[in-house]
Amino acid sequence: KHPSMVLLERKCKVALSVHDFVDIKYSRFEEPVEKIISMAKRHNNPKRDFLFVNHLLGKHVEVSGKEVSETQAMLYKEVVDTFAQKGWLDKKVLIVGFAETATGLAQGLMYQASVLDSEKKLNVVGYTQTTREELPDNNFTNIAFQEEHSHATDQKLYFDPTLDYDVVLFVEDEITTGKTIINFIEQFEQHQPGKEYAVASILNWQNDKDSRTFEEKAIVTSCLVRGKMKKDLKKFSAMIGRTFKPFDEAHYHVSLPKENNPRLPMTIEQFVKFTTLNLAKVDTLRKQGQKTLVIGTEENMFIPTLIAEAIGADVKATTRSPIEPIQQEDYPIQSHVMLNSAYDSERVTYLYNMDLGKYDNFIVFMEKACPFFKGKRGLFLQGYGIGTIINKREFSRR
C-alpha cells in the first residue's frame, strides 16, 4: 500500500448494479452481465450522473490482457456475422474508433481484420479515430463534433478524403442513445456524402425511439450485450472514497508524432507497422512468479494490451474521465489518484484502485517519452511496487 494513502475502511452498503439502470434483453457472454459491467458515479456531470464500467475493456479497472483481446475478437466476429447477413463482406470498410475509452477496442477490431487470419473477415481499407489531442500542420481533413454526455464534449477526427471505401464502421464501448453517432454523421455527410454506416459496441442500451432513428438512417448495429435504459434510475449514495493527489506544478507539452500515430488516418500497411513490436524486447518485461500491471496512457490503450497479453500481465489505463470513488461493497472504484497527464502538465488524469496491493510490478506505457512524467511517476510507483516507464519507440521493430 502506498504510504500516503489511508487504509481501507470497512466496506458497507451494496452498490447499485447494472440491473438498476438497464433491462437486459440478451448477452453473448457466458458470465452474468453484472459480473462484466459495474455502475459508477461520474464526478460533477449533470448531463449524465452514471457510468458503465466495463471489466473487459482494460480501461478503468484492471483485467488480463488476454481477456481484453478475447472480448475484441468476440465483437469482431459479431460484426463479421452482421456484415455477412447484409452481404457487405466485399464492401470496403473504414473503421472509426471513439476516444477516449473505445480507442483500444477499435484498434483491436482493426487488428483482427488486418493482422490475424480468419475464414470470414471484413474488407477493411483504413483506420482512424476521434481524439481530443491537437495535431496541427497535417494534410488531413479535420471534422469537429460534440459528444454530448461526456466530461469533455469537443472531439475532432482527421480523415483522408482520398480514401476509397463504402462503409464507415464506428466502434464504441457503449451506445446509450446514439446521438454522438448521429452528430458525427451529420458532420461527415458534409464532406463525404453517400456512404453506408454501421456501429459496433460491446453494450447497446438504445430505446425503441433511438433504435428507429438508426433504422430510418439505415445505420446497422452489432453488439455483445443488448438492453434498454430504464425510465426511473436510482441515485448513488454520497459515501466518500479515497483520493490521492500527486499532481505537480509543471510546464510541459509532449508533441505527438505525425508518423505511426492512430489519431491520423492509417492504411492497412501503416496499421500493421504501428502494431508490430520487438517481441524479444517485450519479453524482457516478463517477471516470472510476480504479478504485473501494464498501464496505458489516455487514448493509448491497444499497444499496452498487446504487451500485457504477451507477458501474461493485467492492463488498465489512465483516463481523463473523473469517477467518484465510493466505499461500497461491489462498487468498482474504491479510490482514485489524480495525476498530471503524460502529455500535458495542465491536464488532470486519473488512475483507479492503485492502493489495493494486487501487484508486484507496474509498467507505464507512453507513446512518447516525457522526462518530467517519467521521473515523478517513477517515484510515485515506488510506493506500490517496482515501477517501469517505457515508450513505444523502445519496443517498435526497426
Side-chain angles (χ1 to χ4, degrees):
K1 291 177 170 55
H2 198 281
S4 298
M5 295 289 269
V6 299
L7 293 176
L8 180 67
E9 298 176 6
R10 185 177 180 179
K11 294 181 180 179
C12 59
K13 197 173 182 180
V14 176
L16 299 177
S17 83
V18 64
H19 299 291
D20 292 311
F21 292 80
V22 180
D23 291 316
I24 303 298
K25 182 179 179 181
Y26 68 79
S27 171
R28 305 298 190 207
F29 295 101
E30 294 182 1
E31 287 187 283
V33 174
E34 63 270 20
K35 297 293 184 182
I36 297 167
I37 308 298
S38 296
M39 301 307 300
K41 178 179 172 58
R42 295 174 185 262
H43 173 71
N44 196 27
N45 189 331
K47 294 180 181 178
R48 186 180 295 177
D49 181 61
F50 56 89
L51 179 79
F52 295 94
V53 175
N54 191 317
H55 291 252
L56 298 177
L57 206 57
K59 184 59 175 176
H60 304 102
V61 292
E62 61 277 354
V63 62
S64 73
K66 182 174 183 291
E67 287 182 271
V68 177
S69 294
E70 288 173 349
T71 303
Q72 293 166 354
M74 279 182 65
L75 183 56
Y76 177 73
K77 182 180 182 303
E78 191 76 15
V79 175
V80 170
D81 289 345
T82 300
F83 274 46
Q85 293 171 11
K86 291 283 294 181
W88 281 9
L89 289 182
D90 290 332
K91 289 182 179 288
K92 289 176 275 194
V93 179
L94 170 66
I95 291 181
V96 176
F98 277 88
E100 179 185 78
T101 305
T103 52
L105 180 64
Q107 289 173 33
L109 265 62
M110 182 69 178
Y111 189 77
Q112 295 282 327
S114 63
V115 177
L116 302 181
D117 291 327
S118 57
E119 186 175 337
K120 289 194 303 184
K121 61 191 304 182
L122 301 181
N123 182 21
V124 175
V125 296
Y127 175 87
T128 190
Q129 66 188 47
T130 71
T131 182
R132 296 186 177 97
E133 302 287 356
E134 292 290 341
L135 295 167
D137 304 323
N138 64 75
N139 297 321
F140 298 106
T141 300
N142 180 359
I143 295 177
F145 70 103
Q146 295 283 308
E147 186 180 14
E148 295 180 353
H149 64 269
S150 176
H151 60 283
T153 59
D154 293 332
Q155 291 226 44
K156 59 186 74 68
L157 180 127
Y158 300 94
F159 80 101
D160 182 358
T162 68
L163 184 66
D164 180 24
Y165 60 93
D166 307 302
V167 181
V168 180
L169 173 62
F170 302 111
V171 181
E172 268 280 33
D173 56 308
E174 168 220 331
I175 302 274
T176 304
T177 64
K179 288 182 180 178
T180 299
I181 301 293
I182 299 298
N183 289 344
F184 182 87
I185 290 175
E186 288 174 354
Q187 292 291 319
F188 200 78
E189 286 285 318
Q190 296 178 26
H191 297 272
Q192 290 203 320
K195 304 299 181 182
E196 294 180 286
Y197 298 98
V199 181
S201 61
I202 296 178
L203 313 175
N204 186 328
W205 306 141
Q206 286 181 304
N207 61 27
D208 293 340
K209 178 181 177 182
D210 294 325
S211 293
R212 282 195 301 271
T213 299
F214 267 34
E215 291 170 4
E216 290 165 2
K217 295 180 179 295
I219 302 170
V220 177
T221 60
S222 304
C223 67
L224 297 179
V225 181
R226 184 70 171 95
K228 292 182 183 180
M229 294 292 298
K230 294 184 175 182
K231 293 182 179 179
D232 297 320
L233 303 179
K234 293 188 177 181
K235 299 291 185 181
F236 289 92
S237 69
M239 296 177 68
I240 304 300
R242 296 172 308 287
T243 298
F244 182 57
K245 299 181 180 180
F247 190 91
D248 300 281
E249 289 291 334
H251 299 284
Y252 63 85
H253 178 79
V254 176
S255 297
L256 294 170
K258 302 291 192 303
E259 300 288 331
N260 220 19
N261 185 341
R263 296 173 190 83
L264 294 176
M266 284 186 164
T267 63
I268 291 284
E269 294 76 19
Q270 290 168 330
F271 187 83
V272 170
K273 179 181 178 182
F274 167 69
T275 55
T276 301
L277 301 175
N278 183 329
L279 295 181
K281 187 76 181 290
V282 168
D283 199 57
T284 64
L285 299 171
R286 188 189 304 271
K287 306 293 183 184
Q288 294 294 342
Q290 295 188 326
K291 189 75 171 172
T292 299
L293 175 67
V294 181
I295 301 172
T297 43
E298 300 169 57
E299 296 173 1
N300 167 39
M301 295 170 59
F302 182 66
I303 300 299
T305 298
L306 286 183
I307 292 175
E309 184 177 19
I311 66 175
D314 289 350
V315 64
K316 68 179 175 185
T318 63
T319 175
R320 297 196 205 186
S321 178
I323 301 173
E324 293 283 6
I326 301 176
Q327 292 175 225
Q328 290 181 335
E329 184 181 344
D330 295 330
Y331 185 78
I333 307 299
Q334 297 286 318
S335 64
H336 67 181
V337 178
M338 299 175 65
L339 302 167
N340 302 80
S341 165
Y343 308 109
D344 189 330
S345 60
E346 304 300 315
R347 191 160 73 214
V348 179
T349 57
Y350 301 85
L351 261 176
Y352 297 110
N353 296 342
M354 286 294 288
D355 63 324
L356 300 185
K358 295 174 63 175
Y359 298 98
D360 306 299
N361 301 287
F362 300 90
I363 301 167
V364 180
F365 188 85
M366 301 174 60
E367 291 171 89
K368 188 176 178 180
C370 172
F372 176 89
F373 185 89
K374 185 172 184 178
K376 287 288 186 177
R377 296 296 74 83
L379 291 173
F380 168 73
L381 288 172
Q382 288 177 15
Y384 298 114
I386 300 171
T388 305
I389 299 184
I390 58 179
N391 65 76
K392 189 175 188 303
R393 181 176 174 81
E394 299 174 58
F395 291 83
S396 296
R397 191 177 72 183
R398 297 190 179 95

